[in-house]
Amino acid sequence: MTPGERDVLLVVDVQNDFTPGGALAVAHGDEVVPLVNRLARAFQHVILTQDWHTPGHVSFASSHAGKKPFETIELAYGTQVLWPDHCVQGTPGAEFHRALDVPHAQLIVRKGYRRHVDSYSAFCEADGKTPTGLAGYLRDRGLDHVFLAGLATDFCVAWSALDARKRGFRATVLEDASRAIDTGGSLARAWQSMTAAGVARSPSSAVEG
Ligand code: VGL
Ligand code: ZN
């Protein structure tokens, strides 16, 4: 397919902390960068997301006495996986990967910037009710098919794709342009939910241009 006027590429969290050497490195996370750069040139519309946490964020294991990264806790809004400190606002780890080359990106959606609420999804925070504004932005601009690439397949990519479907958008995950964290079976679960919700999966080579 050749991306058209109503198609948008959502590049999820291609940031230093999610790539090798980073605080929450996704295995082979840097390998998505050339694929994303190629894809982005094929799209008229590109949006980036940026994980953007406060110091002492509720999703950090270091904020909970006796807890280690990748353990979970129950919060008012549900189960929260605890992570190493990552993507703290204004730090080098929160910057986009240096090889990411998408100068024509039209919007950067920052998320997870409230200390007591996480946000994997680019559409809605983890409390399930606080919108980021992305759905309204897409509607206002007549964009109705979201193509997703980036990090990580089983968290921010999956949650964004599921929320896109909930809000009536088409959603396609470009599988080889994404990489997963895969903790506690999260990748298999993410694909189960995405398939059930009508999220399509496609190789990035299907996108021409
Ligand atoms: C992400 C865990 C914590 C992601 C963000 O980008 O998938 N994962 N924060
Ligand atoms: Zn995060």
Side-chain angles (χ1 to χ4, degrees):
M1 60 83 63
T2 305
E5 271 174 21
R6 300 167 74 84
D7 299 325
V8 60
L9 179 66
L10 187 69
V11 177
V12 178
D13 296 2
V14 181
Q15 293 168 259
N16 290 330
D17 271 343
F18 295 123
T19 47
L24 177 42
V26 180
H28 306 283
D30 54 334
E31 292 173 7
V32 306
V33 174
L35 293 164
V36 166
N37 290 343
R38 203 279 300 168
L39 280 166
R41 285 193 285 276
F43 280 83
Q44 297 168 42
H45 308 294
V46 183
I47 296 174
L48 309 178
T49 72
Q50 192 171 26
D51 213 38
W52 197 248
H53 299 308
T54 60
H57 193 260
V58 70
S59 74
F60 297 169
S62 63
S63 304
H64 306 273
K67 289 289 178 183
K68 292 195 199 67
F70 305 101
E71 293 180 357
T72 59
I73 50 164
E74 296 306 318
L75 295 177
Y77 58 75
T79 303
Q80 172 72 52
V81 181
L82 296 175
W83 305 108
D85 291 24
H86 65 279
C87 297
V88 174
Q89 298 168 5
T91 63
E95 288 169 14
F96 292 113
H97 190 277
R98 74 199 68 79
L100 186 70
D101 183 22
V102 192
H104 60 298
Q106 297 166 349
L107 177 72
I108 298 171
V109 179
R110 288 177 168 168
K111 59 183 180 59
Y113 49 71
R114 288 200 296 153
R115 181 166 181 185
H116 297 290
V117 186
D118 204 2
S119 188
Y120 297 140
S121 165
F123 289 89
C124 183
E125 297 186 15
D127 61 5
K129 54 186 185 215
T130 308
T132 63
L134 180 58
Y137 176 91
L138 296 178
R139 281 201 197 97
D140 268 358
R141 298 202 52 217
L143 303 169
D144 63 10
H145 191 161
V146 182
F147 291 77
L148 300 100
L151 308 169
T153 317
D154 42 347
F155 288 94
C156 293
V157 172
W159 287 50
S160 298
L162 290 167
D163 272 349
R165 294 294 300 142
K166 270 189 212 153
R167 285 158 183 76
F169 300 98
R170 294 177 67 193
T172 300
V173 173
L174 299 163
E175 213 176 338
D176 56 315
S178 308
R179 292 290 183 283
I181 294 172
D182 203 9
T183 173
S186 54
L187 183 59
R189 272 202 310 279
W191 275 119
Q192 263 165 24
S193 323
M194 288 195 280
T195 304
V199 176
R201 58 202 283 185
S202 165
S204 65
S205 59
V207 176
E208 284 155 25

